Amino acid sequence: MKTIYRKSVINEGRSLAPWREQLNEVIFGSETPAGRNFDVLLIVFIILSTLVAIIDSVESLHNQYAELLNILEWVFTLLFSLEYFLRLLCVRHPWLYMRSFYGIVDLLSILPSYISLFMPGVHYAAVVRILRLLRIFRILKLSVYLNEANLLKTALYNSRWKIMVFLYTVLTLVVICGTLMYVIEGKEAGFTSIPRSMYWAIVTLTTVGYGDIAPNSTLGQIAASFIMIMGYGIIAVPTGIYGAELIKTVNQANLSNEACPDCGRIGHDIDASYCKYCGHNLADLPSHH
């Protein structure tokens, strides 16, 4: 049985040498025991290498285990470099693989360590390796759930203009509220400029409230109270927009695009027995066979 990767254009074309075909089956396939074991081992290495990068960012642990963490980082980098080279070696179109999503992620997962030789600290960007865990959808046969992710993506895309209008409105309020607080409070209360006051307005409208800047005057506190209350009303708007679009997208996914043979209208439920417009029997439609 061919895998998803086998069906892609990356592996279509001329035949490879037998050893390259076998290598391809192990690296890109998950149907055979060898391919599945390779994928599971790869996931373990990805998780461990990500943990190493995270632990290395903790100063106390870095000072105590710097040498060990550095060795582990380079071991994982060399292993992933070898894996990337083998992937290019066993596909029919290496350039297409390099340009694919997984190809780019694989390359980005090893570049930070090499760049860190010239720019110290860049190696922390290696946590991008966590994106490689997306392969778990293929390994665990979870690809069917990608349809659910597509519904979320479609709903977000369809509601993009409504959300943009909402964000423009919020930005306008931020400018107005920030300027107002700058005028009321002034530099003495920490509102040293309109941009800094706008930062306070964003923190307040989103109900985060860091507390690093706060109004001192009575008038400023009254204005801040209104802005906070406004924030509770505003924060629910994008959720409503996206939720309504998601329901609409889900409903459309459950509708048939086949026309009623009597009135010619579409939009029936997939499991509908009769046309909701004219009452005609839909049993003859191909989707009801």
Side-chain angles (χ1 to χ4, degrees):
M1 179 179 179
K2 294 186 177 182
T3 66
I4 295 174
Y5 275 94
R6 279 249 179 226
K7 294 177 181 177
S8 68
V9 295
I10 292 174
N11 275 326
E12 290 179 355
R14 60 185 176 80
S15 299
L16 299 174
W19 66 272
R20 291 177 66 187
E21 288 282 1
Q22 186 174 6
L23 184 63
N24 183 290
E25 191 65 38
V26 172
I27 293 180
F28 286 95
S30 59
E31 302 298 332
T32 63
R36 190 172 183 84
N37 290 337
F38 174 84
D39 287 334
V40 172
L41 186 63
L42 178 61
I43 287 176
V44 172
F45 283 160
I46 292 170
I47 294 175
L48 290 178
S49 66
T50 303
L51 288 175
V52 167
I54 293 173
I55 292 172
D56 191 38
S57 67
V58 181
E59 186 175 358
S60 59
L61 295 177
H62 173 77
N63 294 336
Q64 188 173 358
Y65 304 105
E67 185 175 353
L68 174 61
L69 292 172
N70 187 54
I71 292 174
L72 289 175
E73 172 59 32
W74 277 105
V75 167
F76 287 125
T77 297
L78 293 176
L79 287 174
F80 290 140
S81 299
L82 176 62
E83 180 224 352
Y84 182 72
F85 173 75
L86 292 177
R87 286 183 183 274
L88 295 178
L89 187 64
C90 70
V91 293
R92 293 172 176 80
H93 305 286
W95 178 240
L96 289 180
Y97 172 71
M98 290 176 65
R99 293 166 55 191
S100 68
F101 171 78
Y102 283 118
I104 294 173
V105 170
D106 291 345
L107 180 61
L108 291 178
S109 69
I110 59 177
L111 280 181
S113 295
Y114 295 112
I115 296 176
S116 67
L117 294 174
F118 310 98
M119 299 175 62
V122 178
H123 66 283
Y124 293 120
V127 293
V128 73
R129 291 170 183 166
I130 202 71
L131 290 176
R132 304 189 70 195
L133 291 181
L134 291 174
R135 285 190 171 92
I136 200 169
F137 280 96
R138 175 176 61 90
I139 298 167
L140 300 181
K141 305 294 186 274
L142 299 177
S143 299
V144 292
Y145 296 109
L146 292 178
N147 291 332
E148 309 301 325
N150 287 332
L151 287 177
L152 298 177
K153 182 181 72 173
T154 301
L156 184 61
Y157 179 79
N158 290 339
S159 59
R160 67 191 185 283
W161 293 117
K162 295 177 183 177
I163 294 177
M164 287 296 291
V165 170
F166 166 77
L167 291 177
Y168 171 76
T169 304
V170 171
L171 180 60
T172 303
L173 286 173
V174 165
V175 174
I176 294 174
C177 294
T179 304
L180 179 64
M181 293 303 295
Y182 173 72
V183 173
I184 295 174
E185 293 295 325
K187 298 180 180 180
E188 295 76 13
F191 295 83
T192 55
S193 64
I194 291 180
R196 185 162 176 79
S197 300
M198 288 171 58
Y199 155 76
W200 172 87
I202 293 172
V203 171
T204 305
L205 276 172
T206 55
T207 69
V208 176
Y210 289 127
D212 52 344
I213 309 175
N216 295 327
S217 68
T218 302
L219 182 58
Q221 291 172 354
I222 292 174
S225 299
F226 279 112
I227 295 172
M228 293 174 195
I229 294 172
M230 190 189 308
Y232 281 108
I234 286 175
I235 202 167
V237 173
T239 305
I241 292 174
Y242 182 67
E245 194 62 45
L246 181 60
I247 292 173
K248 182 179 177 182
T249 302
V250 172
N251 289 338
Q252 288 177 344
N254 292 327
L255 297 179
S256 172
N257 289 322
E258 297 180 25
C260 169
D262 189 46
C263 66
R265 302 182 69 173
I266 62 175
H268 309 91
D269 292 341
I270 293 176
D271 57 351
S273 299
Y274 298 93
C275 175
K276 61 183 178 183
Y277 303 106
C278 68
H280 184 80
N281 194 333
L282 300 177
D284 294 334
L285 292 179
S287 62
H288 288 72
H289 283 242

